[in-house]
Amino acid sequence: MTLAIWLQSILDGLVIGATVSLGAIGITLTYAILRFANFAHGEFITWGGYFALAVLGAVAGSQDLKALLGGPFEPFSFGWPLIVATLASILAASALALILDAIYFRRLRRAKIAIASVIGAFGAALVLRNLVVLGYGADPEYFSREIQIAIRFGPGLRITPDQIALVFVTALLVVSLHLFLTRTQMGRAMRGVRENPDLASVSGIDVAAVIRATWVIGASLAAVAGVLIGLTIQLRPSIGFDLLLPLFAAAVLGGIGSIYGAVLGGLVIGVSESLAVMLIGPEYRAAISFGVLFLILLVRPQGILGARA
Amino acid sequence: MAEPALAVRALEAGYVRGVPILRGVGFDLAAGEILAILGPNGAGKSTLVRTIAGLVPRFAGEIRLAGASLADLPPHRVVAAGFAYVPQVANVFAELTVDENLALGGYTLKRGRAERAARVFELFPDLVAKRQAKAGRLSGGQRQMVAIGRALMVEPRVLALDEPSAGLAPIVVEQVFAMIRRVARSGVAVLVVEQNVRAALATADRALVLAEGVERLSGAAGDVAANAAIAEIYLGGAPAGASP
């Protein structure tokens, strides 16, 4: 096998891993700050993708909006309509997360019975997924049916402009999140609540507001992940559910609670799945990423960047 | 008479309704005054300050800060009203730097955070060199300074400290109590829960001795120290003159 094929496989894995990272950040944040393993998190990805699809549909159906927002930015397949759709999707996914927490997750968390939270969140995931099937059917949907011409570079490597945009957007979001957590009072407050909620509240921090911010950030990143998957692959009602185990694997192997661990874990999962598809075949994709998780946890039970309990 | 900085009346509180830990406790605290809350383990000392801080449910009684009721406010609103609380354990954000700890202490401030932090560093010059260090890596005494400094960021009317001497070497205990006296001299009313009776009585102006959730003794620190009943209370004896 040539070097180019290996490099191409790693590159494809990094592209997939970037979206896994965005989802895993949300899981690690909700776990670290709310002590809640949100098995419905994948649905924020699905709903994020479909919210954007709905907005794109509305834009395509209106001559005025089409004229206002214009066509794609060459060489990308998307333009202002997708940017507007993504912003709308972020708002909608955040609202969905806040509503779910207010009417359901908060009660599960208060009960303090871990297994009830896990199964309850799973139940919410099934309901959310089936609502998407109800609205859009189970067939795949595409943001754009145009074929993208890949850019060739290096020793015969290929990447599409949309994939480059995906990696760039992911990197931008991770850097922004880092700056938010280290430079803003709300970011510091989130880190404070993560470490010690009681001390945070007697420091004057409104813990409930921090929890809302956590949901908004997690759901927003998931919505962007959903849009990026819709842009570069396709949308199906099961995308979030299919990603759920890789997302948790990424968060756990990176070190649960660590943002950078989630990013690294997502990339490790993406690359190992991609290599597995090349080396053994697509049917072993999931097994390989869990094999990697297993090996890493044997050596470092707290995850790559996780702190010891 | 001037309004006391903090007035507590007939306070009943506990974690489980119907099982009060505090069963009718009251006191007044004036600006610049240090009140020591003493008593054996399980007397309700920590519960008293945690109730005022809004962390323990109040069943009955009043809590007034400069005349305004604090009762049933959530903890972050109690801080904003001017009552700052330093818990006994885990009283700093260990994974955050000293600067970040102070920034979170001033969370309710709209502006002037840097000036307040500068004042904290004036009070605790040892911390200046440690500004970028994680609080969890500091010595016990320095950590206590960060904890008190964090609480002082809001320039509270009342500062409550839960066992500030716990786990510290005797020489550091002396420094911590010197810091507390300095804070009180600046006009802050101070509430100190202590196991270290001797150090607390040497520092405080007045003392309130609790046992089993009720007041057993109170008065000027010197009088309480001289009162023979205090040993009995700590040893779990019946109050003098109580009916069997």
Side-chain angles (χ1 to χ4, degrees), chain A residues 182 185-186 188-189 191-196 198-207 210, chain B residues 50 55 75-76 79 85 87 90-96 100 103-105 107-108 113 150:
Chain A
T182 52
Q185 275 292 82
M186 181 49 98
R188 285 185 207 114
R191 289 158 62 213
V193 171
R194 171 174 96 173
E195 185 181 327
N196 187 340
D198 268 5
L199 185 62
S201 69
V202 301
S203 296
I205 295 165
D206 181 352
V207 175
V210 168
Chain B
R50 288 174 60 82
L55 292 169
H76 65 276
V79 183
Y85 162 61
N91 56 16
V92 295
F93 296 105
E95 289 166 32
L96 273 55
E100 287 176 327
L104 285 189
Y107 192 77
T108 56
R113 227 176 273 136
R150 179 200 54 74

Side-chain angles (χ1 to χ4, degrees), chain A residues 165-189:
Chain A
L166 176 156
V167 171
F168 179 76
V169 166
T170 304
L172 189 72
L173 289 174
V174 171
V175 171
S176 309
L177 182 62
H178 171 81
L179 293 176
F180 170 78
L181 288 172
T182 52
R183 305 287 165 87
T184 70
Q185 275 292 82
M186 181 49 98
R188 285 185 207 114

Side-chain angles (χ1 to χ4, degrees), chain B residues 142-210:
Chain B
Q142 288 170 333
R143 212 180 302 187
Q144 200 60 259
M145 291 180 204
V146 175
I148 296 173
R150 179 200 54 74
L152 290 176
M153 282 294 289
V154 289
E155 294 191 347
R157 272 175 198 276
V158 181
L159 174 69
L161 304 120
D162 196 348
E163 304 223 13
S165 76
L168 299 180
I171 183 149
V172 184
V173 171
E174 190 41 56
Q175 290 167 359
V176 167
F177 279 102
M179 284 191 281
I180 293 170
R181 282 191 293 271
R182 227 178 316 157
V183 170
R185 268 202 302 277
S186 70
V188 178
V190 181
L191 207 56
V192 191
V193 168
E194 258 306 337
Q195 290 282 3
N196 187 337
V197 178
R198 200 183 303 263
L201 287 175
T203 301
D205 302 301
R206 288 190 304 127
L208 171 66
V209 185
L210 301 179

Side-chain angles (χ1 to χ4, degrees), chain A residues 73-252:
Chain A
F73 312 136
E74 298 292 343
F76 303 105
S77 74
F78 60 89
W80 281 110
L82 187 70
I83 292 173
V84 171
T86 304
L87 295 176
S89 162
I90 284 171
L91 291 179
S94 299
L96 175 69
L98 291 175
I99 292 168
L100 276 174
D101 188 52
I103 64 174
Y104 187 52
F105 291 151
R106 187 185 315 189
R107 289 159 207 259
L108 291 181
R109 286 190 277 116
R110 277 204 194 125
K112 291 200 162 77
I113 304 166
I115 189 69
S117 295
V118 167
I119 298 302
F122 251 122
L126 286 175
V127 171
L128 289 170
R129 172 157 60 124
N130 281 295
L131 286 173
V132 174
V133 176
L134 207 62
Y136 281 89
D139 293 333
E141 302 269 355
Y142 298 86
F143 286 164
S144 158
R145 295 213 171 252
E146 292 187 22
I147 304 291
Q148 272 227 302
I149 311 293
I151 299 166
R152 290 172 183 280
F153 68 100
L157 297 181
R158 289 182 316 266
I159 190 166
T160 66
D162 286 357
Q163 288 175 327
I164 295 173
L166 176 156
V167 171
F168 179 76
V169 166
T170 304
L172 189 72
L173 289 174
V174 171
V175 171
S176 309
L177 182 62
H178 171 81
L179 293 176
F180 170 78
L181 288 172
T182 52
R183 305 287 165 87
T184 70
Q185 275 292 82
M186 181 49 98
R188 285 185 207 114
M190 286 177 72
R191 289 158 62 213
V193 171
R194 171 174 96 173
E195 185 181 327
N196 187 340
D198 268 5
L199 185 62
S201 69
V202 301
S203 296
I205 295 165
D206 181 352
V207 175
V210 168
I211 288 173
R212 288 194 294 273
T214 306
W215 281 115
V216 166
I217 291 170
S220 299
L221 295 176
V224 174
V227 171
L228 294 174
I229 290 170
L231 179 67
T232 54
I233 310 171
Q234 56 178 213
L235 284 184
R236 280 172 291 108
S238 62
I239 51 169
F241 200 75
D242 294 343
L243 269 173
L244 191 61
L245 289 177
L247 292 180
F248 269 93
V252 170

Side-chain angles (χ1 to χ4, degrees), chain B residues 124-148:
Chain B
F124 306 128
D126 288 8
L127 292 182
V128 175
K130 304 280 183 185
R131 292 179 66 154
Q132 302 302 323
K134 286 193 177 180
R137 302 201 167 253
L138 302 181
S139 70
Q142 288 170 333
R143 212 180 302 187
Q144 200 60 259
M145 291 180 204
V146 175
I148 296 173

